[in-house]
Amino acid sequence: MSQALLKIKNLKTSFRIKDDYYAAVDDVSLTVNKNEVLAIVGESGCGKSALAFSIMGLHNRAKIEGNILFKGKDLANASPTEWSKIRGKEMGMIFQDPLTALNPLMIIGDQIGEAIYLHNKNISKEQRKLKVIDLLEKVGIPHPERVYDQFPHELSGGMRQRVVIATAIANQPELLIADEPTTALDVTIQSQILDLMKQLKEDMDAGIIMITHDLGVVAEMADRVAVMYAGQIVEIADVYTLFENPQHPYTRSLLNSVPNNKEASSKLHVIQGIVPSLQFLPRKGCRFSARIPWIDVSAHEENPQLHEIEPGHFVRCSCYKHFHFPEEEVQ
Amino acid sequence: MSILKVKDLKVHFPIKGGIFGRTVDYVKAVDGVSFSIEKGMTYGLVGESGSGKTTTGRAIIGLNKITSGNVLFEGKDITSYRRAKADYYKDVQMIFQDPYSSLNPRKRVLDIVAEPLRNFEKLSRQEEKKRVQELLELVGLSPESILKYPHQFSGGQRQRIGIARAIALKPKLIIADEPVSALDVSVQAQVLNFMQDIQKELDLTYLFISHDLGVIRHMCNRIGIMYKGRYVEEGTTEDIFNNPQHIYTKRLVAAIPDIDPNKRKEHAKFRQEVQREYEQSFNDYFDENGLAYDLQSISDTHLVALPKKG
Amino acid sequence: MWKFTVRRILIMIPQIILLSVLIFIMAKMMPGDALSGLIDPNIDPETIAEQREKLGLNDPWHIQYANWVKDLFQGDLGMSFRYKMPVTELIGQRLANTVWLSLLTLVLIYAISIPLGLISGRYNDTWLDRVITGYTYIGFATPLFIFALVMLWFFGFTLGWFPTGGSVQPGVESGTFEYVMNRIYHMLLPALSMALITTVSTVQYLRNEIIDTKQKDFILTARAKGASESRIYNRHILRNSLLPIAAFFGYEITGLIGGTVFVESIFSYPGMGQLFLESIVQRDYSVATSLTLLFGIATILGALLSDIILSLVDPRIRIK
């Protein structure tokens, strides 16, 4: 196995609401290796974006506990100056909405150029321009010289996302965090962007954390997958295992609720109830238990832990052993 | 008999320009679209952003002005007969994409769902309340919700409120414009199942507009693919997904991520082949303006936009 | 760009015509006419009627209007009945005074609002922000003429730091450095009074713009690039927030016109505002209508200026 690039241990990110702290990310531990795509899957409110922001140090007013070891250095409580040396240089981030992620009043060239300038102030302006044009070419933008002087609103959504990617990889970061990078794009553009990211990963030998709710994107991109529910990782495995042998009730439910192309017009699985909001997260016991009420309470652990059920495959709470869909026969 | 028939529909938006703001050109958002929907079916309208699918839906229900062409509902041409319109607006309803912004935040659920009833039916307060409660029950919300405001509901529940509003007048046709795009997968499943249930229950016909081919495949009997305001292909779900003929459709279908990670390599290779074919044969499939040709039928159910032979 | 400007100027023409018609009609509806002030009680009514006929005052209104407009283009705004001199000349003297006062006020407005708005927006919800927003609420609630009177009483009369009237001390030779300083000295108190009150809306506006821009996605992108907080404010937030403020510039001028009317009168500063109030009180109609027209045109030009500035600084509009 290759060397661990990022190692997160028992990360807890809490936000203050009124007088209390609520954990959006709770007890998350994971590793990302070089040249590996780790997908983090979950629905809105599961804490996947909060996790990404914690790794990038982008939370302003959050309490962060635990360790974020990046190349052996703990970033959990790094100072703003330390962060600005790492962000954009060793870690890059790709955002969801290319329409709003670029400064509307700055030409493309300056936006990408800024990322280079911030971490290498000795480069001359001319050299910087050449580097930016190089980057634009690398992410597959036609006529890079012309695009250099254009404003974001003059480009299509797909092209803008390429610019966002070019900005993120300007300094050859070792870790890329992509927060729903293709959600706002059309399918044909999505497949192009995913191909581009795969190729960049190979070229730069980078680790990628891919945050998404789209299981199709996961199946296309990921090497390993972590499934999040209510702030916690409930299952983590390599991508083949996760799709072939999903164990946690949430993972299984999620996979069954996607319209799959094999049996058209059959019923989709519906997960009962709703995702609890941050303030109403259950603090004790299995957080998913409320959504599978037909499973006996005794099946859940009192304090659910991740169990390694086969090498590299972890599942939280023992309820997976007793889980069945309501329409299935109990053996 | 088909419930809805669209004939050579065109919706052109003027582009204003010059010092005096005269019309200098037109955006041909929809340019010659024809299709028909059979009663009780779900017809899928697919396309990428800018394809004109939403404009088509909005033009059918009267939210966009029709430049030319006809829309026939149960055989009556609603584009020319003014009198036919009152009934039409009752029989055709719309579900919108964003459950967060399509409901007025300052109105209670009662007022939101009762609005179409107030426009078309004269009911007493009591009757109205009862109807709204029945509708809420039908969409799986508790009847006590009538006094709540939209922000007190989750996204999926809000979309159900939108559906309750749409079915309040017992419509025959519902135009659903990206009804699940803003929802999470599990909530999406809930709404899709529910739409199928009420379809059977109320004998509804759907025009389902979406860019998500997975959802379209799951929901629809017949599918039309649009590109730049024109149809490139139309056929049964089987025709489109298993036997796509137009290169644009092939490319679209190939771009859907495969849910099986084992087929990843194979799928990527296939996608590259299609992309190569798309680039090489673009001129064979599109005219000199990069637009699709007129549709030609290649089987009883399957139509493809190909150049005329000879 | 030029297309936009030309179009914008063309739109202005009907606005100005409508304005002039309105002012003309209102002037006609007021009691008395251009002759009233000149009439000597000893002249017999017949001669007056003859004079009226001769001056065209009995013509239908549209012919009178046409004549009035014709005179306007020749720079003839009629005679002031009080000063017994052509209105053009009278206004000419005052115009420069008002322009200088407005300019100084504008400089003060931005000198106050930009730093306060920036601090308030950047450190929102701190005590510093609360002090600044507290000031803006007081500013919103205080009528300008009362505030100006208090300033005059306190700094002018009680402390005696500033002159209480006029635009320059008599006897100072014009063209010298001393003369310039003396003019500024006279303008400072009225300008400051006006600026302290009118600036609050800009402070609030800038504060809200900054808070708004702070939460935009592209700020996150900048942070992810590794930009420091100060760089984020200087390079990304400031420019994007100042844009609407810059566009507001033209309207600011419009607001000043209203302000000068009060402030000049209170500080007995010989500008157009003071002249305007005087002319109304003393029923000097030709002066009042001319000034109304002038103020109206200035307002329309202010709006034009705003639009042109916005189209210059915002690339999204510039393209079209």
Side-chain angles (χ1 to χ4, degrees):
Chain A
M1 202 147 192
S2 44
Q3 185 205 340
L5 186 63
L6 177 79
K7 206 174 176 79
I8 294 175
K9 276 195 228 156
N10 308 101
L11 181 72
K12 186 171 179 181
T13 304
S14 331
F15 295 98
R16 205 190 161 104
I17 302 171
K18 279 173 195 144
D19 288 325
D20 227 338
Y21 278 97
Y22 294 91
V25 176
D26 200 355
D27 189 30
V28 165
S29 301
L30 52 82
T31 55
V32 183
N33 300 310
K34 280 187 174 174
N35 199 357
E36 177 189 63
V37 179
L38 172 74
I40 297 176
V41 197
E43 297 180 276
S44 41
C46 72
K48 57 190 193 298
S49 286
L51 172 62
F53 277 48
S54 306
I55 300 169
M56 281 293 279
L58 289 172
H59 284 305
N60 263 342
R61 291 170 187 172
K63 192 168 79 178
I64 295 187
E65 294 158 272
N67 308 94
I68 303 170
L69 295 163
F70 179 64
K71 296 197 292 180
K73 200 163 71 190
D74 194 352
L75 299 178
N77 289 300
S79 71
T81 1
E82 285 174 274
W83 268 123
S84 49
K85 277 183 198 145
I86 295 163
R87 278 200 296 250
K89 185 162 197 291
E90 294 169 67
M91 284 184 191
M93 186 150 181
I94 300 166
F95 296 91
Q96 172 172 359
D97 190 353
L99 301 184
T100 56
L102 297 170
N103 188 334
L105 302 184
M106 239 184 187
I107 59 167
I108 300 297
D110 285 349
Q111 307 211 27
I112 302 174
E114 188 183 23
I116 299 170
Y117 168 80
L118 284 169
H119 301 284
N120 194 346
K121 298 195 167 114
N122 303 323
I123 282 185
S124 73
K125 256 190 150 173
E126 294 70 35
Q127 273 178 302
R128 204 156 71 211
K129 181 165 181 174
L130 289 177
K131 272 193 95 169
V132 170
I133 288 172
D134 228 35
L135 280 164
L136 288 171
E137 222 157 37
K138 200 168 175 183
V139 294
I141 289 179
H143 315 296
E145 284 91 359
R146 204 175 68 205
V147 171
Y148 185 92
D149 289 310
Q150 283 181 318
F151 285 97
H153 69 270
E154 297 172 75
L155 303 178
S156 71
M159 284 300 141
R160 282 192 231 185
Q161 193 61 310
R162 285 170 194 266
V163 172
V164 173
I165 294 175
T167 313
I169 61 163
N171 295 304
Q172 301 256 344
E174 287 159 83
L175 180 68
L176 260 182
I177 298 174
D179 187 5
E180 304 263 11
T182 57
T183 307
L185 305 173
D186 278 324
V187 265
T188 51
I189 313 289
Q190 163 170 294
S191 67
Q192 289 165 11
I193 296 287
L194 294 181
D195 286 344
L196 171 67
M197 288 180 63
K198 272 187 240 173
Q199 185 208 325
L200 291 173
K201 180 196 78 169
E202 295 293 332
D203 291 354
M204 305 191 305
D205 200 25
I208 296 183
I209 295 179
M210 178 105 175
I211 289 166
T212 182
H213 69 278
D214 188 332
L215 291 161
V217 170
V218 175
E220 283 276 338
M221 282 290 287
D223 296 308
R224 284 191 303 127
V225 188
V227 182
M228 275 185 87
Y229 180 78
Q232 294 179 320
I233 290 179
V234 292
E235 185 160 4
I236 189 163
D238 73 81
V239 68
Y240 305 102
T241 312
L242 194 98
F243 279 90
E244 267 161 36
N245 185 24
Q247 288 299 319
H248 194 276
Y250 180 61
T251 316
R252 292 176 62 189
S253 310
L254 210 54
L255 283 166
N256 267 12
S257 64
V258 186
N260 78 13
N261 306 326
K262 282 147 208 146
E263 19 182 346
S265 79
S266 64
K267 274 274 145 128
L268 299 173
H269 176 68
V270 172
I271 304 175
Q272 292 188 8
I274 54 163
V275 178
S277 68
L278 193 54
Q279 278 156 287
F280 300 106
L281 278 187
R283 298 279 134 193
K284 268 191 199 150
C286 178
R287 296 184 180 187
F288 196 61
S289 59
R291 308 198 59 184
I292 43 172
W294 64 92
I295 301 297
D296 197 71
V297 194
S298 62
H300 299 287
E301 277 170 62
E302 220 168 275
N303 190 14
Q305 298 296 317
L306 281 172
H307 306 281
E308 189 163 18
I309 59 167
E310 56 187 307
H313 187 179
F314 294 84
V315 183
R316 192 179 292 271
C317 188
S318 53
C319 60
Y320 75 91
K321 290 180 201 156
H322 310 276
F323 179 72
H324 59 88
F325 287 109
E327 57 275 7
E328 283 171 355
E329 290 292 315
V330 191
Q331 283 114 12
Chain B
M1 192 185 75
S2 50
I3 183 164
L4 183 81
K5 208 174 170 77
V6 175
K7 276 201 246 169
D8 202 23
L9 181 74
K10 288 183 184 170
V11 181
H12 295 181
F13 297 112
I15 304 172
K16 305 270 185 196
I19 288 168
F20 296 102
R22 277 167 302 139
T23 304
V24 290
D25 204 352
Y26 290 94
V27 179
K28 297 177 175 172
V30 180
D31 198 30
V33 159
S34 306
F35 62 91
S36 57
I37 307 177
E38 301 301 315
K39 196 162 171 47
M41 296 282 119
T42 302
Y43 187 96
L45 204 51
V46 187
E48 299 192 281
S49 41
S51 62
K53 58 186 190 302
T54 296
T55 312
T56 305
R58 294 173 64 94
I60 290 170
I61 204 168
L63 291 172
N64 278 134
K65 208 169 164 252
I66 293 173
T67 309
S68 74
N70 306 84
V71 177
L72 278 77
F73 182 72
E74 295 184 316
K76 275 176 278 180
D77 188 343
I78 56 96
T79 38
S80 48
Y81 294 109
R82 282 217 135 270
R83 209 137 47 89
K85 279 195 172 167
D87 279 339
Y88 179 67
Y89 287 138
K90 207 174 135 182
D91 288 338
V92 182
Q93 292 292 324
M94 190 148 183
I95 303 172
F96 296 92
Q97 170 173 6
D98 189 353
Y100 296 91
S101 62
S102 62
L103 303 179
N104 186 337
R106 271 185 277 277
K107 281 190 172 172
R108 289 170 306 170
V109 171
L110 174 68
D111 299 310
I112 291 169
V113 178
E115 199 200 320
L117 293 172
R118 287 172 193 167
N119 291 339
F120 287 98
E121 285 175 28
K122 287 203 170 70
L123 296 175
S124 72
R125 289 245 147 177
Q126 280 309 312
E127 285 171 325
E128 183 185 287
K129 200 173 147 193
K130 210 172 138 247
R131 275 286 287 282
V132 172
Q133 284 176 328
E134 282 167 10
L135 284 164
L136 287 179
E137 238 168 311
L138 194 64
V139 297
L141 295 172
S142 81
E144 290 85 65
S145 321
I146 53 166
L147 295 179
K148 288 190 186 165
Y149 288 88
H151 71 263
Q152 293 168 290
F153 295 90
S154 69
Q157 289 173 322
R158 273 185 237 204
Q159 199 56 301
R160 284 151 178 261
I161 297 171
I163 294 174
R165 173 174 63 183
I167 60 175
L169 293 167
K170 301 203 172 74
K172 294 170 181 162
L173 173 70
I174 286 184
I175 298 175
D177 186 8
E178 304 269 11
V180 292
S181 306
L183 305 173
D184 272 322
V185 264
S186 69
V187 184
Q188 168 182 307
Q190 213 175 58
V191 173
L192 292 180
N193 280 353
F194 169 70
M195 283 181 70
Q196 286 179 332
D197 290 345
I198 56 164
Q199 177 167 37
K200 274 183 218 128
E201 215 162 307
L202 303 174
D203 196 21
L204 287 170
T205 308
Y206 288 130
L207 174 58
F208 200 103
I209 300 167
S210 180
H211 71 280
D212 186 331
L213 290 150
V215 172
I216 286 282
R217 183 174 195 173
H218 180 78
M219 291 293 286
C220 302
N221 312 98
R222 205 173 161 73
I223 295 165
I225 312 271
M226 280 184 82
Y227 173 70
K228 286 191 182 171
R230 294 180 59 80
Y231 258 47
V232 293
E233 191 157 355
E234 193 197 11
T236 61
T237 308
E238 180 78 5
D239 292 335
I240 296 294
F241 283 93
N242 298 339
N243 186 23
Q245 290 299 309
H246 199 280
I247 186 63
Y248 182 78
T249 317
K250 281 188 202 169
R251 182 164 166 261
L252 206 60
V253 172
I256 313 172
D258 200 311
I259 199 91
D260 184 355
N262 291 308
K263 292 197 188 133
R264 201 188 274 182
K265 285 232 166 67
E266 204 182 306
H267 191 67
K269 218 176 120 209
F270 173 64
R271 201 163 57 217
Q272 270 159 14
E273 274 165 27
V274 173
Q275 179 65 22
R276 209 169 303 128
E277 194 191 342
Y278 177 78
E279 276 156 22
Q280 280 166 2
S281 62
F282 189 86
N283 292 331
D284 303 338
Y285 286 96
F286 296 98
D287 67 11
E288 58 274 19
N289 298 320
L291 297 173
Y293 292 102
D294 290 331
L295 289 174
Q296 321 258 339
S297 63
I298 59 162
S299 80
D300 291 349
T301 53
H302 198 165
L303 297 119
V304 187
L306 293 171
K308 287 200 177 70
K309 287 186 186 90
Chain C
M1 172 57 210
W2 69 269
K3 255 190 196 167
F4 170 79
T5 313
V6 171
R7 208 173 127 192
R8 192 57 191 74
I9 289 171
L10 285 179
I11 291 170
M12 245 173 64
I13 292 170
Q15 285 178 329
I16 291 178
I17 291 174
L18 189 71
L19 176 77
S20 68
V21 171
L22 278 175
I23 289 171
F24 181 77
I25 291 172
M26 280 196 284
K28 282 291 137 191
M29 278 160 61
M30 284 196 281
D33 57 36
L35 218 53
S36 319
L38 298 172
I39 295 167
D40 190 319
N42 299 327
I43 300 171
D44 67 292
E46 240 164 79
T47 325
I48 295 171
E50 212 173 280
Q51 198 65 20
R52 281 225 156 85
E53 187 62 42
K54 217 170 120 194
L55 285 171
L57 292 175
N58 295 335
D59 290 344
W61 77 270
H62 57 272
I63 293 180
Q64 288 193 40
Y65 173 73
N67 287 332
W68 181 64
V69 172
K70 206 170 76 196
D71 289 346
L72 275 184
F73 274 103
Q74 287 162 352
D76 180 6
L77 296 169
M79 290 286 280
S80 158
F81 111 83
R82 179 164 170 260
Y83 291 93
K84 308 277 188 273
M85 63 194 287
V87 176
T88 327
E89 227 173 276
L90 185 62
I91 291 178
Q93 289 175 358
R94 308 282 190 123
L95 188 67
N97 281 344
T98 299
V99 167
W100 286 118
L101 177 65
S102 305
L103 262 173
L104 182 62
T105 312
L106 273 177
V107 169
L108 288 173
I109 284 178
Y110 288 111
I112 298 167
S113 62
I114 292 179
L116 287 193
L118 283 180
I119 293 168
S120 189
R122 179 165 176 176
Y123 304 105
N124 67 311
D125 294 331
T126 60
W127 65 269
L128 203 58
D129 171 41
R130 277 184 209 121
V131 169
I132 293 169
T133 36
Y135 155 60
T136 62
Y137 289 136
I138 294 171
F140 277 126
T142 315
L144 175 59
F145 61 95
I146 290 182
F147 181 70
L149 276 175
V150 171
M151 293 283 280
L152 178 66
W153 167 75
F154 189 70
F155 291 104
F157 290 105
T158 312
L159 295 176
W161 290 359
F162 290 97
T164 54
S167 66
V168 70
Q169 207 171 329
V172 183
E173 205 177 317
S174 75
T176 59
F177 177 71
E178 197 196 344
Y179 178 80
V180 175
M181 288 315 288
N182 196 270
R183 289 285 300 264
I184 293 177
Y185 182 47
H186 277 77
M187 286 192 294
L188 210 54
L189 196 57
L192 199 63
S193 310
M194 201 150 49
L196 280 172
I197 294 296
T198 35
T199 200
V200 293
S201 55
T202 315
V203 174
Q204 273 286 341
Y205 196 26
L206 185 57
R207 174 182 185 268
N208 294 342
E209 276 300 326
I210 286 179
I211 293 174
D212 213 40
T213 313
K214 259 199 324 203
Q215 289 155 352
K216 293 258 166 77
D217 282 356
F218 66 83
I219 297 303
L220 219 50
T221 309
R223 246 182 222 127
K225 279 186 221 174
S228 63
E229 276 312 284
S230 60
R231 190 182 168 88
I232 283 172
Y233 276 92
N234 296 335
R235 301 284 300 213
H236 293 277
I237 296 181
L238 189 60
R239 187 159 173 220
N240 290 275
S241 309
L242 280 179
L243 200 108
I245 304 289
F248 216 59
F249 178 75
Y251 298 104
E252 204 84 71
I253 294 177
T254 313
L256 281 183
I257 291 169
T260 52
V261 172
F262 295 116
V263 167
E264 288 182 356
S265 302
I266 288 165
F267 290 91
S268 330
Y269 183 84
M272 293 204 299
Q274 189 206 27
L275 181 65
F276 182 63
L277 214 61
E278 245 177 46
S279 66
I280 289 175
V281 174
Q282 300 176 345
R283 297 174 187 254
D284 198 351
Y285 299 124
S286 48
V287 176
T289 47
S290 307
L291 284 173
T292 314
L293 186 65
L294 222 56
F295 287 154
I297 291 173
T299 307
I300 292 173
L301 284 175
L304 172 74
L305 198 62
S306 277
D307 286 355
I308 291 177
I309 292 175
L310 189 63
S311 70
L312 274 176
V313 290
D314 194 333
R316 285 164 295 187
I317 296 180
R318 189 161 63 202
I319 296 307
K320 283 160 199 161

